[in-house]
Amino acid sequence: MLSSSQDSQNGTRSTADEIIVHSPIDGREVGRVPAMSRDQVQRIAQELRAAQPDWEALGTRGRAVHLNRWRDWLLDNDRRLTEIVQRETGKVLGDAAGVEVPTAVATLNYYVDRAQEFLADARPRPHTPMFATKKLRLRYRPYQLVGGITPWNVPLAMPAFDLIPALVAGCAVLSKPSEFTPLSWTAAVRGWEEVGNQPVLACAIGRGDVGAAVVDLVDMINFTGSTRTGRVIAQRAGERLIPCSLELGGKDPMIVLADADLERASSAAVYGAMWNGGQACVSVERVYVEESLYDAFVESVTRKVRALRQGPEQKPYSSDVGAMANEAQLQIVERHVDDAVAHGARALTGGQRRPGVGLYFEPTVLVDVDHSMECLRQETFGPTLPIIRVRDAEEAIRLSNDTPYGLSASVFSRDHERAERVAERLEAGAVNVNNVIVNGFQFPVPMGGWKESGIGARAGGAYGIRKFCRSQTIVSDRIEPAADVNWYPYTPLKGRIQERALRWFGARDLRRRLGLRPRRRAR
Ligand code: NAD
């Protein structure tokens, strides 16, 4: 029996003890999971801690056996998992199948294949001959328990992307999926158990209070979600003095210079804005087009957006743009579009909630917009594309940087060098040249936001796994006399030797090395 019934924001009916997920496609129930109490989360955290030392002791090779088994399970179950993702998010197949399980698999392979290299002890040389007899060793020891809190927009790939490196590093992982989409990731975690892997991966299910409990229990927190929640988590992490990595919201600009390839730029803008129903942190949220190309660009984009197919898929790949994952998000999109139109903008296509069943918002192109409007100041996270005419690249750069966010951006031009020069002036963690979104899938380089878009990053080669480790330094001696020269007792002779040696190695010119007084400057 459910104790109390209340409407949650995605149109699902949930209670304090249970989360019931209804599909944004047709409102039907997809599944239900019990919402955990703080005590339950605490018990799970204790079990994970108890299991972690054996997991760490397995070493990279031993852990790889478990991780590879799980990869095979993910691949063997990809259809079922993709279907759960689609039903709980309302994504079309094209958005789900190309990203969710494949990103989990690619992340796993990338880190498992390189774990030995990335986690190998480093043995740097001493920085000065004064310490020539020291042996330096740098080790990477995993945090015992890592917490991962994730949003609803990419419900399987995101926790996988964020947290697989922690497992590879040897951490135990307490993962808290979004209350709007808990089903796909819990199914994946059940797969971890099903293949008989060590009990170092578990889910904490619930709403924000369960997320807060996770932050209170772990040694390091990795959060992906809104800037608002990120701030709360950073404050708590600060109080607890645990490290946090925050991947937050964005308002990604796209700049189209006058010499851009019109066909490619307009197709990229449409894909970048509409992929995943616009519910991607790295989606194109606004476009600045140089004057001479503006009319042709707007015409091309509008034509391509009008041609997009939206709605439930009768056959695989028969629709391009899916539903909004929850009612609250749909209302934000509605508010931004209404605000823009009320202040003089025009919707050249779309502009409203799609009539009928399901949480669909029509793919929308907005023109005559400016930076006083919500659609250019706040993250929309929906299928909208505001396009702004600019005089030149300078104005485009200035407006692109006129935001508290700094996640990613893109620049389009046939002149790659010029595009890269423009890219270098954008205040964003990543910039795509003549492309969109792809920066989010380049494992060797970091994906992290500047300004209010985050702290730290995911991926980034070795960084992506070492961020889940504490570095431990071990310093030992090659020569061990009865006492080092700087130890007690201090004597004039030892003092002189030390002073001279420090001066010799510190100075960069012979006069100072020899301790000679500087020459007086002639007046
Ligand atoms: P959200 O911040 O509302 O929720 C994210 C998660 O935080 C959920 O699991 C939620 O239950 C949990 N949470 C809520 N309050 C909490 C608290 N006080 N303590 C701990 N956990 C708490 O975000 P959302 O609406 O689910 O996701 C959309 C946002 O995520 C957008 O802003 C988007 O840009 C961002 N996002 C960023 C990236 C990135 O890589 N930068 C990727 C995907 C999504």
Side-chain angles (χ1 to χ4, degrees):
M1 270 299 275
L2 304 180
S3 50
S4 67
S5 193
Q6 67 200 33
D7 272 334
S8 80
Q9 290 177 321
N10 63 342
T12 64
R13 292 189 72 77
S14 300
T15 70
D17 334 287
E18 194 168 39
I19 291 171
I20 309 172
V21 181
H22 287 236
S23 176
I25 300 171
D26 53 16
R28 288 208 204 128
E29 183 178 324
V30 186
R32 50 182 73 197
V33 278
M36 292 176 179
S37 66
R38 191 168 258 262
D39 284 350
Q40 280 174 302
V41 179
Q42 196 158 10
R43 268 198 300 281
I44 294 172
Q46 276 165 359
E47 285 162 14
L48 289 166
R49 275 191 195 283
Q52 187 274 341
D54 286 347
W55 180 243
E56 183 181 352
L58 278 179
T60 49
R61 288 218 175 98
R63 292 194 291 273
V65 173
H66 294 240
L67 285 148
N68 289 338
R69 243 185 343 234
W70 191 40
R71 180 213 39 229
D72 295 345
W73 183 93
L74 289 167
L75 286 167
D76 294 347
N77 288 273
D78 66 339
R79 289 222 172 146
R80 184 170 67 82
L81 293 168
T82 303
E83 206 178 298
I84 302 173
V85 168
Q86 279 193 270
R87 295 201 59 216
E88 72 175 348
T89 60
K91 282 175 204 256
V92 293
L93 185 58
D95 289 344
V99 166
E100 300 281 355
V101 173
T103 302
V105 167
T107 306
L108 191 151
N109 285 337
Y110 179 76
Y111 283 106
V112 166
D113 290 350
R114 290 162 184 79
Q116 270 201 296
E117 176 197 337
F118 289 164
L119 296 175
D121 289 1
R123 296 176 187 276
R125 287 159 58 100
H127 68 285
T128 161
M130 292 284 288
F131 292 129
T133 60
K134 306 293 174 232
K135 279 196 290 187
L136 307 181
R137 184 152 72 96
L138 170 59
R139 307 180 63 220
Y140 298 102
R141 289 279 314 274
Y143 286 102
Q144 195 178 26
L145 183 58
V146 163
I149 301 178
T150 40
W152 43 259
N153 63 327
V154 200
L156 196 149
M158 195 57 72
F161 207 179
D162 281 354
L163 300 172
I164 284 173
L167 288 167
V168 178
C171 314
V173 170
L174 178 55
S175 169
K176 149 77 178 83
S178 168
E179 60 272 39
F180 291 116
T181 54
L183 303 176
S184 26
W185 181 241
T186 46
V189 172
R190 265 199 299 279
W192 176 273
E193 294 154 8
E194 216 175 286
V195 296
N197 283 350
Q198 290 198 2
V200 288
L201 172 63
C203 284
I205 303 296
R207 304 177 182 80
D209 58 321
V210 168
V214 170
V215 181
D216 283 347
L217 290 164
V218 297
D219 306 322
M220 187 270 179
I221 185 76
N222 196 97
F223 172 74
T224 299
S226 66
T227 297
R228 179 179 35 81
T229 310
R231 259 186 235 285
V232 175
I233 288 175
Q235 279 167 8
R236 185 63 188 135
E239 279 165 14
R240 291 201 55 228
L241 286 180
I242 60 165
C244 62
S245 183
L246 306 174
E247 324 299 335
L248 309 177
K251 189 75 198 166
D252 290 2
M254 170 173 171
I255 294 178
V256 183
L257 300 176
D259 68 344
D261 177 333
L262 176 64
E263 264 318 291
R264 181 168 177 83
S266 59
S267 293
V270 175
Y271 180 73
M274 306 301 165
W275 180 76
N276 215 35
Q279 300 161 108
C281 53
V282 288
S283 67
V284 173
E285 288 251 334
R286 50 200 172 115
V287 188
Y288 301 97
V289 190
E290 266 193 291
E291 217 149 28
S292 60
L293 198 64
Y294 177 83
D295 289 336
F297 182 83
V298 169
E299 186 281 318
S300 179
V301 161
T302 308
R303 183 167 34 82
K304 289 172 183 174
V305 170
R306 280 199 187 118
L308 293 173
R309 301 160 300 171
Q310 187 181 43
E313 284 171 302
Q314 307 308 333
K315 294 190 305 224
Y317 299 103
S318 60
S319 191
D320 301 308
V321 182
M324 304 301 298
N326 58 68
E327 173 64 31
Q329 193 55 45
L330 201 155
Q331 285 178 13
I332 292 173
V333 181
E334 253 176 344
R335 200 184 71 224
H336 286 193
V337 172
D338 291 350
D339 169 77
V341 171
H343 289 90
R346 284 179 298 139
L348 297 183
T349 183
Q352 58 174 6
R353 186 188 280 252
R354 188 163 164 268
V357 180
L359 302 179
Y360 291 91
F361 194 90
E362 293 176 352
T364 298
V365 177
L366 290 170
V367 292
D368 301 339
V369 285
D370 64 50
H371 275 226
S372 70
M373 298 173 183
E374 286 184 16
C375 70
L376 289 182
R377 283 203 318 271
Q378 297 168 17
E379 184 182 44
T380 304
F381 222 56
T384 62
L385 188 57
I387 309 177
I388 301 103
R389 181 200 302 266
V390 290
R391 269 190 314 280
D392 51 23
E394 286 306 312
E395 189 179 13
I397 293 167
R398 183 176 60 74
L399 289 173
S400 292
N401 289 337
D402 178 23
T403 169
Y405 293 111
L407 194 57
S408 51
S410 46
V411 182
F412 281 73
S413 167
R414 282 199 169 90
D415 179 344
H416 273 233
E417 273 181 32
R418 183 170 175 231
E420 294 211 9
R421 282 199 302 275
V422 169
E424 286 167 9
R425 293 177 57 197
L426 296 178
E427 288 167 15
V431 186
N432 298 297
V433 170
N434 292 339
N435 213 324
V436 289
I437 296 182
V438 282
N439 68 287
F441 300 92
Q442 310 306 316
F443 299 152
V445 284
M447 186 210 163
W450 291 8
K451 303 198 278 186
E452 293 184 12
S453 288
I455 295 175
R458 71 166 67 83
Y463 168 85
I465 190 166
R466 289 182 189 159
K467 75 184 223 185
F468 296 110
C469 299
R470 297 157 294 181
S471 55
Q472 184 178 44
T473 292
I474 296 181
V475 181
S476 56
D477 275 286
R478 292 175 202 280
I479 300 167
E480 294 175 353
D484 279 10
V485 70
N486 58 316
W487 292 1
Y488 301 130
Y490 292 150
T491 67
L493 177 64
K494 288 202 300 184
R496 270 200 306 280
I497 294 171
Q498 201 171 271
E499 274 174 34
R500 288 200 179 156
L502 286 169
R503 172 167 280 278
W504 179 264
F505 292 118
R508 288 292 177 268
D509 63 283
L510 189 60
R511 169 173 285 278
R512 287 185 176 79
R513 278 195 163 152
L514 295 173
L516 302 174
R517 295 171 69 81
R519 277 208 195 98
R520 285 257 168 104
R521 284 208 177 161
R523 295 202 168 200

